[in-house]
């Protein structure tokens, strides 16, 4: 047993909040303070063990003693909140970031990662000993810093997995070839850590590398037994490799939910020590399934706790309210870190923004909100939390254009956000008025203000001969054409999502994009997988191209000063962007405009915009 107050663990999630010095600051304190009040343990973000082995420039470090005071402060805070702490230590090997100056790359092989990266040096015995000592020294610092556990990363395609993997390890010495040889170095490393410290050690392993030539569950069951035998306290089971299949590493919405649970369940059958289950656990239902189907006892929640710090408290019944769901979209979390802004969250406007919590006031105010999309609903919920009265006007279904967001292939998880908002609106008894509201409907109602959250509408360019066209209609199964030739004008997010759906209907798709690339601004994993699908299905992609004329079923395309014709086009989709929509002027004050009605953007901005307004009113 891990002797935690409950069996929920905050999984290690990269934050990217340091200034580049690897030290704890107020952002870390605030972030972990919010997320350590209900869980049994907090597994801090991966700590770099050498400055030349960083994955991101703004990662937390444990590479020398100058980091200890900050880590002690963080440990003390989490302990005061009742949770234990885990130091996640990782040698990335060939997966150290090639863009960070002075990084170096060692591995079991001299082959670079197939997804890109620096060519590594194949480690000799001296290098292997040095890497082992780096992990031992980091573990000793973790103990000095007040951590309750050390976790060694042995999966996800990092250095230990680079030795374990038959797809990567091409050595011909005693550390390559057979299963026994490939496990030798990882076992030596974890044995050295166990011998050096007096706190328990957890091993994080991939139950399957999710690639044909990699290791699979049968070998990992054997490896788990070896880890148990030498004294590892628990196993934390993940899947995939950051090198070969990032969607599995990030547990993206494009990979099936439950595979990691199945792997952990199979490993649990072979060992007596605790096994920690992980992977898109973002609802109470998920936890119950893991318990009932796989006998799970310990649960690691990563982005679910980013989205809702009170997730565990709500599940256990100590906190009231609906769980704000993580959508597994990687939009705010991975996207923010990759952009150097640090981890954010699409659905939680307080992550990495410094925004305060909504507090109830003693004032009596009343606001009208026109538009029940994400911005409108967030504003209504937050203002209700302040104690204000709200009339929320929506002529169609609550959710606005986000009702389209979950219709494209593999994006069904996005519907969870709509369901959350609908539950919040209902539970808070917000007055929803289903009406195509006009200015006169808002007069003489003693509103303290009018909030326009009317969203955006498609921006259709003037195209000669264009008469009949579509926008997002084909995302609906009952309107999806089959086996037709369809032109999609615009290669941004909406255009690609419609194209992906059209492919599922067996249609021949042509994408016409004015820029020199498609999917600009799209989340990186979704972009990579969608573009791959389009190309595999033979989609014709015309870059630097403009639809200048439609003549019956023939399209005239201008491409770099030359014209070409595309014949026998049966349907045209126009996805050339959006423009803010405000249906009428309001001649009374004050008026506030939020979300896409103010500036067309992503769901993240709409939710944050609404939350910020609510704080200010």
């Amino acid at each position: 047993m891990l002797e935690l107050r409950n069996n929920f663990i905050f999984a290690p999630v990269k934050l990217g909040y340091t200034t580049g010095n690897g030290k704890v600051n107020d952002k870390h304190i605030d972030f972990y303070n919010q997320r350590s009040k209900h869980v049994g343990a907090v597994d801090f973000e991966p700590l770099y063990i050498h400055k030349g082995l960083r994955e991101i420039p703004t990662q937390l470090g444990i590479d020398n003693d100058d980091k200890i005071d900050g880590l002690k402060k963080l440990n003390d805070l989490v302990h005061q909140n009742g949770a234990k702490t885990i130091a996640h230590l990782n040698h990335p090997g060939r997966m150290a970031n090639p863009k960070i100056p002075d990084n170096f790359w060692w591995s079991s092989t001299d082959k670079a990662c197939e997804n890109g990266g620096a060519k590594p040096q194949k480690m000799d015995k001296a290098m292997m000993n040095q890497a082992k000592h780096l992990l031992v020294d980091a573990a000793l610092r973790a103990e000095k810093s007040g951590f309750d556990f050390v976790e060694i990363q042995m999966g996800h395609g990092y250095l230990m997995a680079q030795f374990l993997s038959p797809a990567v390890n091409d050595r011909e010495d005693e550390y390559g070839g057979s299963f026994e040889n490939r496990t030798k170095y990882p076992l030596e490393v974890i044995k050295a850590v166990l011998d050096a410290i007096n706190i328990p050690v957890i091993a994080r392993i991939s139950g399957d590398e999710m690639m044909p030539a990699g290791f699979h569950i049968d070998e990992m069951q054997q490896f788990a037994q070896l880890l148990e035998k030498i004294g590892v306290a628990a196993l934390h089971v993940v899947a995939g490799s950051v090198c070969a299949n990032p969607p599995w590493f990030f547990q993206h919405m494009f990979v099936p939910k439950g595979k990691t649970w199945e792997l952990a369940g199979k490993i649990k059958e072979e060992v007596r020590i605790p096994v920690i289950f992980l992977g898109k656990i973002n609802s109470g239902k998920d936890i119950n399934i893991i318990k009932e189907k796989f006998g799970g006892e310990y649960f690691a929640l990563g982005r679910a706790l980013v989205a809702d710090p009170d997730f565990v408290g709500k599940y256990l019944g100590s906190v009231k309210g609906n769980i704000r769901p993580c959508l597994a979209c990687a939009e705010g979390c991975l996207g923010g870190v990759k952009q150097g802004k640090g981890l954010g969250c699409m659905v939680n406007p307080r992550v990495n923004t410094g925004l305060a919590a909504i507090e109830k006031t003693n004032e009596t105010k009343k606001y009208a909100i026109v538009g029940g999309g994400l911005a409108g609903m967030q504003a209504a919920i937050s203002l209700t939390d302040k104690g204000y009265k709200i009339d929320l006007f929506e002529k169609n279904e609550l959710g606005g254009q986000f009702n389209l967001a979950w219709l494209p292939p593999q994006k069904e998880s996005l519907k969870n956000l709509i369901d959350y908002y609908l539950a919040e609106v209902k539970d808070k008894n917000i007055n929803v008025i289903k009406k195509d509201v006009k200015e006169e409907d808002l007069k003489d109602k003693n509103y303290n203000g009018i909030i326009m959250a009317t969203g955006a509408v498609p921006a259709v360019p003037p195209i000669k001969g264009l008469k009949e066209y579509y926008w997002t209609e084909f995302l609906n199964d009952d309107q999806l054409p089959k086996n037709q030739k369809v032109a999609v004008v615009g290669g941004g997010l909406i255009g690609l999502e419609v194209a992906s759906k059209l492919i599922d209907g067996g249609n021949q798709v042509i994408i016409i994009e004015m820029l020199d690339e498609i999917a600009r601004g799209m989340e990186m994993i979704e972009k990579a997988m969608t573009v791959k699908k389009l190309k595999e299905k033979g989609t014709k992609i015309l870059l630097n191209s403009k639809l200048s004329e439609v003549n019956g079923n023939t399209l005239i395309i201008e491409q770099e000063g030359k014209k070409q014709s595309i014949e026998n086009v049966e349907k045209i989709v126009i996805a050339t962007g959006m423009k803010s929509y405000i249906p009428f002027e309001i001649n009374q004050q004050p008026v506030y405009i939020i979300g896409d009605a103010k500036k067309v953007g992503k769901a993240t901005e709409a939710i944050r915009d609404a939350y910020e307004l609510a704080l200010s009113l």
Side-chain angles (χ1 to χ4, degrees), residues 227-274:
L227 291 169
E228 178 183 32
K229 188 175 181 180
I230 63 173
V232 165
L235 299 169
H236 188 174
V237 180
V238 296
S241 161
V242 66
C243 169
N245 38 45
W248 281 102
F249 171 78
F250 291 108
Q251 285 295 294
H252 192 268
M253 61 183 172
F254 275 36
V255 301
K257 177 183 281 197
K259 182 62 179 179
T260 50
W261 311 344
E262 177 189 327
L263 296 170
K266 289 181 177 179
I267 285 172
K268 188 175 184 298
E269 292 172 359
E270 303 299 325
V271 296
R272 294 180 298 277
I273 55 176

Side-chain angles (χ1 to χ4, degrees), residues 8-71:
F8 292 92
I9 298 165
F10 183 23
V13 175
K14 294 185 183 74
L15 304 185
Y17 288 168
T18 80
T19 59
N21 61 6
K23 294 183 178 180
V24 171
N25 59 36
D26 289 343
K27 276 192 172 184
H28 299 98
I29 296 293
D30 178 63
F31 181 86
Y32 286 115
N33 183 40
Q34 290 184 49
R35 288 161 181 81
S36 57
K37 294 178 179 177
H38 308 292
V39 296
V42 173
D43 201 343
F44 292 154
E45 83 164 329
L47 305 171
Y48 68 78
I49 61 174
H50 188 286
K51 197 171 182 179
L53 294 171
R54 286 175 293 168
E55 292 183 77
I56 55 175
T58 49
Q59 190 174 352
L60 272 176
I62 196 168
D63 57 319
N64 58 51
D65 289 353
D66 68 352
K67 310 297 192 302
I68 290 176
D69 285 346
L71 292 170

Side-chain angles (χ1 to χ4, degrees), residues 161-207:
Q162 290 161 29
F163 275 86
L164 288 168
S165 175
V168 179
N169 186 341
D170 55 3
R171 305 177 74 88
E172 296 179 355
D173 61 6
E174 62 186 302
Y175 294 99
S178 68
F179 170 77
E180 182 181 4
N181 286 1
R182 286 183 281 112
T183 59
K184 187 174 182 180
Y185 180 61
L187 290 172
E188 286 178 3
V189 169
I190 207 154
K191 181 89 165 54
V193 172
L194 284 162
D195 290 344
I197 60 176
N198 297 305
I199 56 177
V201 176
I202 300 167
R204 200 178 208 218
I205 62 174
S206 288

Side-chain angles (χ1 to χ4, degrees), residues 226-526:
L226 294 173
L227 291 169
E228 178 183 32
K229 188 175 181 180
I230 63 173
V232 165
L235 299 169
H236 188 174
V237 180
V238 296
S241 161
V242 66
C243 169
N245 38 45
W248 281 102
F249 171 78
F250 291 108
Q251 285 295 294
H252 192 268
M253 61 183 172
F254 275 36
V255 301
K257 177 183 281 197
K259 182 62 179 179
T260 50
W261 311 344
E262 177 189 327
L263 296 170
K266 289 181 177 179
I267 285 172
K268 188 175 184 298
E269 292 172 359
E270 303 299 325
V271 296
R272 294 180 298 277
I273 55 176
V275 172
I276 302 166
F277 286 68
L278 170 142
K280 292 202 285 188
I281 304 173
N282 46 32
S283 71
K285 180 182 176 183
D286 294 337
I287 296 166
N288 295 336
I289 289 172
I290 293 170
K291 286 180 177 179
E292 294 163 10
K293 189 172 181 179
F294 302 106
E297 297 172 312
Y298 291 88
F299 311 91
L301 311 173
R303 291 166 300 168
L305 282 167
V306 177
D308 191 337
D310 294 327
F311 180 110
V312 173
K314 290 175 180 177
Y315 176 77
L316 295 176
S318 58
V319 177
K320 292 182 179 179
N322 300 296
I323 293 173
R324 185 181 284 258
C326 169
L327 309 180
C329 63
E331 183 70 53
C333 45
L334 173 60
V337 172
K338 288 287 185 182
Q339 293 164 24
K341 298 175 182 177
L343 177 131
C345 182
M346 178 177 141
V347 303
N348 185 341
R350 293 192 62 202
V351 180
N352 196 22
T353 60
L355 295 175
I358 296 284
E359 294 184 0
K360 203 168 188 68
T361 71
N362 294 320
E363 296 181 87
T364 302
K365 292 185 177 182
K366 186 177 182 181
Y367 289 90
I369 301 174
V370 183
L374 296 187
M377 288 194 289
Q378 180 65 59
I381 291 163
S382 296
L383 289 170
T384 300
D385 287 342
K386 292 186 81 167
Y388 299 164
K389 296 288 186 182
I390 300 298
D391 286 340
L392 177 60
F393 293 90
E394 172 54 58
K395 65 179 180 180
N396 298 311
E397 297 298 319
L398 289 176
Q401 289 179 9
F402 207 75
N403 286 315
L404 301 171
W406 61 274
L407 297 178
Q410 298 176 289
K411 300 189 77 171
E412 297 83 1
S413 66
L414 299 187
K415 187 177 183 298
N416 294 335
L417 185 59
I418 297 288
D419 294 341
Y420 163 77
Y421 275 121
L422 293 178
E424 287 284 288
V425 167
K426 180 181 178 182
D427 292 351
K428 295 179 189 299
N429 294 312
I430 294 170
N431 184 32
V432 179
I433 302 170
K434 193 165 185 179
K435 184 175 185 179
D436 187 4
V437 65
K438 308 295 183 188
E439 183 187 4
E440 52 265 29
D441 297 314
L442 305 175
K443 287 182 178 179
D444 306 319
K445 297 290 178 68
N446 298 316
Y447 289 123
N448 293 92
I450 311 297
I451 299 169
M452 300 297 286
T454 46
V457 294
V460 181
I463 299 170
K464 183 179 178 182
L466 178 65
K467 295 176 182 177
E468 184 179 352
Y469 60 89
Y470 301 85
W471 179 46
T472 57
E473 293 88 342
F474 298 155
L475 293 176
N476 296 288
D477 290 335
D478 59 353
Q479 296 186 55
L480 180 66
K482 301 288 178 68
N483 305 312
Q484 295 189 17
K485 189 173 184 178
V486 185
V488 177
V489 184
L493 172 65
I494 294 175
L496 260 66
E497 288 182 336
V498 175
S500 178
K501 187 80 171 187
L502 284 164
I503 284 171
D504 291 348
N507 296 287
Q508 179 187 350
V509 179
I510 304 123
I511 296 174
I512 303 164
E513 170 56 55
M514 291 183 67
L515 300 176
D516 58 3
E517 63 171 324
I518 57 171
R520 183 172 291 188
M522 204 173 187
E523 186 274 315
M524 58 177 290
I525 293 177
E526 180 184 0

